[in-house]
Amino acid sequence: MTEVTAGARVAPTIGELRAMVAGQRARGASVALVPTMGALHEGHFALVRRARELADVVVVSIFVNPLQFGANEDLDRYPRTLDADVAALTALGVDLVFAPAAAEMYPNGETETRVTAGHVGTLYEGASRPGHFDGMLTVVSKLLHIVGPDVALFGQKDAQQVFLVRRMVRDLDVPVSIEVVPTVREPDGLALSSRNRYLDPGQRAAALTLSEALRAGDAASGDGLAEVLAEGTAAFGDHDDVTLDYLVVVDPQTFLPVDDDARGEVVMLVAARVGATRLIDNATITLG
Ligand code: PAF
């Protein structure tokens, strides 16, 4: 492996980032991209550690992408912690941080041209957040064009995002490999998320319902789909401040809901609102 430069350098513009990556490429370095919206936590750090194993140079992008937030969502209050993020990434040995302003990424305002996520992009997260996945794929596509990485890394917690990114890369022949890193959890099971910091102590306790529902579904998986859905949904019965949005079991190949008699490996997705905070989680289970 090529020697890694110590200390993260922060590029606020596309031109600077491209020049930095070109410099590394000239040395023969391979490049990994970890796209993030900042407010970094151990889940992101797991992506970075894996990226360091896979490539000589790690680029982390930090950009809260307005295109993937709906009008009533948390774009304005989304946590922005750039200094702390850069310090943490430096400690992890990251080489380059791409931290553009919205005007750098969208100089003419929100782009007319979008990558569309198709039918699956309108389901589950996409049903609750119309346009979210088109906005996400559009910015991921831009980031892949800007950085030109050999590999890009995504967290399994956003399972639908992972499915759609993989499909985009395949459909549009983007020359990058996609690496998926398992969800990082708190010791009690809560999946790490930048949005967990919105939760007060009571809501933090209630948020465990999502991972409990996945565990209950997994425990019932030998009895088939109906039992999985019944047990998973039942986990939400006891909590007044948790509102289930969806709990669904999908085929990992198509991301469409499985048939009643499905068998084998499937993905159970759950989303719920805890107070004003929307959380998601998922687990791979085996229907018997
Ligand atoms: O998962 C996220 O943080 C975002 O959706 C991503 C991939 C960085 C695109 O804005």
Side-chain angles (χ1 to χ4, degrees), residues 35-37 63 65 68 136 139-140 154 158 161:
T36 81
M37 298 204 302
F63 179 59
N65 173 36
Q68 68 188 76
M136 180 280 293
V139 84
V140 169
F154 295 84
D158 297 298
Q161 168 168 284

Side-chain angles (χ1 to χ4, degrees), residues 114-150:
R114 303 274 166 112
V115 179
T116 133
H119 176 58
V120 172
T122 67
L123 304 176
Y124 329 125
E125 280 307 280
S128 296
R129 309 182 63 190
H132 166 71
F133 285 121
D134 290 4
M136 180 280 293
L137 287 183
T138 301
V139 84
V140 169
S141 171
K142 280 171 72 77
L143 290 167
L144 292 173
H145 280 109
I146 292 166
V147 178
D150 301 285

Side-chain angles (χ1 to χ4, degrees), residues 10-274:
V10 181
T13 68
I14 295 169
E16 283 163 281
L17 192 274
R18 282 199 164 127
M20 289 177 186
V21 172
Q24 300 286 359
R25 288 285 194 200
R27 300 165 51 224
S30 57
V31 177
L33 169 66
V34 179
T36 81
M37 298 204 302
L40 303 180
H41 51 66
E42 275 301 324
H44 299 109
F45 302 154
L47 297 175
V48 168
R49 288 192 193 97
R50 181 71 185 128
R52 290 205 62 192
E53 290 171 2
L54 294 175
D56 301 315
V57 169
V58 176
V59 179
V60 176
S61 62
I62 297 180
F63 179 59
V64 183
N65 173 36
L67 247 53
Q68 68 188 76
F69 286 78
N72 301 318
E73 294 186 14
D74 57 346
L75 173 63
D76 291 337
R77 77 168 184 139
Y78 197 85
R80 288 159 171 87
T81 57
L82 184 62
D83 291 346
D85 291 347
V86 172
L89 294 173
T90 298
L92 285 171
V94 166
D95 308 273
L96 302 177
V97 177
F98 179 45
E104 177 71 10
M105 292 294 273
Y106 304 118
N108 303 314
E110 297 196 351
T111 56
E112 291 286 330
T113 306
R114 303 274 166 112
V115 179
T116 133
H119 176 58
V120 172
T122 67
L123 304 176
Y124 329 125
E125 280 307 280
S128 296
R129 309 182 63 190
H132 166 71
F133 285 121
D134 290 4
M136 180 280 293
L137 287 183
T138 301
V139 84
V140 169
S141 171
K142 280 171 72 77
L143 290 167
L144 292 173
H145 280 109
I146 292 166
V147 178
D150 301 285
V151 58
L153 294 94
F154 295 84
Q156 176 60 28
K157 188 177 81 69
D158 297 298
Q160 193 176 0
Q161 168 168 284
V162 164
F163 174 85
L164 292 168
V165 167
R166 279 196 156 131
R167 194 172 63 178
M168 173 185 77
V169 162
R170 208 171 51 236
D171 285 352
L172 302 183
D173 301 304
V174 186
V176 65
S177 70
I178 300 299
E179 175 83 4
V180 180
V181 173
T183 304
V184 179
R185 297 180 181 279
E186 301 279 10
D188 61 7
L190 181 69
L192 295 196
S193 162
S194 302
R195 291 189 168 95
N196 289 352
R197 66 185 72 195
Y198 298 150
L199 304 171
D200 68 26
Q203 292 169 338
R204 166 68 181 75
L208 277 181
T209 311
L210 282 86
S211 52
E212 283 165 7
L214 295 175
R215 267 205 302 278
D218 187 23
S221 59
D223 298 326
L225 178 66
E227 278 303 304
V228 167
L229 296 176
E231 292 299 319
T233 307
F236 285 86
D238 299 341
H239 294 281
D240 292 342
D241 42 359
V242 183
T243 312
L244 177 62
D245 182 352
Y246 59 80
L247 188 143
V248 64
V249 174
V250 303
D251 179 334
Q253 305 308 320
T254 62
F255 238 72
L256 297 174
V258 296
D259 294 335
D260 292 347
D261 59 354
R263 296 278 175 274
E265 204 165 89
V266 293
V267 184
M268 186 176 176
L269 307 172
V270 64
R273 194 168 284 281
V274 183

